[in-house]
Amino acid sequence: MSGRLNTRGKRTMKYGRVEVRAKLPQGDWLWPAIWMLPQGNSTNSNTSQGTGVYGPWPVSGEIDIMEARGNLPTYPAQGSNYVRSSLNYGPFAGGSTPISTGTSTTANLLKTIYGWVFTKRGNFADGFHVYAFEWTGGWMRFYTDDRLQAMINLDISSKSSDSYFFNAGGFPGVAMNASSGKEVVVEDPWSTAFGGSAAAPFDQDFYLVIDLAVGGTSGWFPDSVGGKPWFDGSTTAMHDFANAQDTWSATWPSSADDRAFRIDYVKMWKLCGT
């Protein structure tokens, strides 16, 4: 379940600054997020969200400016006293992604670079905070309220450096296709495609997304942690979640202001010349 606003086909940016002042919701299994997806070559509504100039998600990347959980600070997997930023990308499109042939078997070759900040006093649902993202072809910075509270600070130099996203991914040289069982070479999809720069895949236009989800089966809420009433891989996950409504809804404040994801303002500045 999710409520979502986005600027797809209306406002995009390649390099610049995004700033959102918001008050996060309080309540078990609430998942507020401020993030960005690639605009791609088309604004056609039939084009899948997340499909950018390099291909479908996650090949064209995903930028998560802020994600949080509405569970109380006592929640073992980072509750409402934490906020997190991340970059997500990978060399194969979701759904067709090969399985690594390394020592561990994974569902995909998705790379996530992440960081967080936390507060020792109260939580981020107690009041409004500024969540910001600054971005050029040479660096990326995510922070809360001020630059001293940075969640991610990245320098991007050249394709031959460790900072190049393909190199930072640590992808195996060979992987196995999940459907055919055949081995395939894991190649850099950004090396020459569309003139990809050292910042690829984060060197294209992205649009802004603001949403509030409830529950979910992506792993954001780990199984068997904090009394979670469903399992991500279960065919009855949604039913199990609904059956536990009396339990989790009791943690949601009676005040609509306190259980809502409240947005004071959204500001976007595009870097001149981009």
Side-chain angles (χ1 to χ4, degrees):
M1 296 181 285
S2 180
R4 177 178 297 181
L5 300 171
N6 68 69
T7 65
R8 189 185 190 201
K10 303 176 183 69
R11 292 289 183 271
T12 64
M13 60 185 294
K14 172 188 171 183
Y15 308 145
R17 173 183 168 88
V18 179
E19 183 178 299
V20 179
R21 186 173 185 267
K23 181 178 181 294
L24 304 189
Q26 184 77 67
D28 283 0
W29 321 122
L30 292 175
W31 178 6
I34 303 166
W35 49 305
M36 302 181 81
L37 285 172
Q39 179 69 30
N41 293 318
S42 173
T43 58
N44 190 314
S45 60
N46 294 323
T47 303
S48 298
Q49 293 193 36
T51 298
V53 297
Y54 299 112
W57 187 93
V59 184
S60 289
E62 174 186 322
I63 300 169
D64 297 333
I65 299 173
M66 187 285 302
E67 291 183 285
R69 300 174 180 90
N71 303 58
L72 288 172
T74 53
Y75 176 66
Q78 298 186 346
S80 56
N81 56 329
Y82 282 81
V83 289
R84 173 169 135 163
S85 296
S86 65
L87 294 169
N88 302 279
Y89 63 97
F92 295 99
S96 63
T97 305
I99 298 175
S100 171
T101 57
T103 55
S104 63
T105 300
T106 58
N108 56 44
L109 296 182
L110 178 68
K111 171 67 175 179
T112 299
I113 299 172
Y114 62 91
W116 62 74
V117 296
F118 70 96
T119 177
K120 295 181 179 179
R121 297 182 178 180
N123 59 65
F124 289 99
D126 288 341
F128 283 88
H129 294 270
V130 173
Y131 303 101
F133 170 50
E134 297 174 339
W135 170 34
T136 74
W139 52 268
M140 305 173 87
R141 179 189 294 123
F142 301 76
Y143 62 88
T144 299
D145 291 328
D146 62 65
R147 294 183 179 90
L148 294 177
Q149 297 194 83
M151 294 176 278
I152 300 176
N153 251 325
L154 286 179
D155 288 323
I156 305 165
S157 55
S158 68
K159 288 188 176 182
S160 61
S161 71
D162 291 340
S163 67
Y164 179 46
F165 288 105
F166 184 78
N167 297 338
F171 303 116
V174 177
M176 182 177 291
N177 189 293
S179 57
S180 68
K182 296 181 179 180
E183 289 189 341
V184 293
V185 176
V186 180
E187 297 180 313
D188 178 359
W190 313 295
S191 59
T192 57
F194 299 97
S197 71
F202 304 105
D203 59 349
Q204 58 184 304
D205 277 288
F206 279 70
Y207 62 90
L208 185 67
V209 183
I210 298 177
D211 71 27
L212 175 59
V214 183
T217 56
S218 69
W220 181 244
F221 296 103
D223 287 343
S224 303
V225 175
K228 179 180 171 182
W230 76 97
F231 289 94
D232 288 349
S234 172
T235 57
T236 61
M238 186 176 292
H239 181 267
D240 296 338
F241 178 77
N243 272 351
Q245 181 174 352
D246 288 346
T247 301
W248 51 257
S249 64
T251 71
W252 292 18
S254 58
S255 167
D257 284 346
D258 290 335
R259 64 175 181 266
F261 186 14
R262 299 174 61 192
I263 308 298
D264 180 24
Y265 64 73
V266 176
K267 299 179 180 180
M268 299 173 70
W269 295 268
K270 194 170 185 177
L271 188 66
C272 293
T274 62

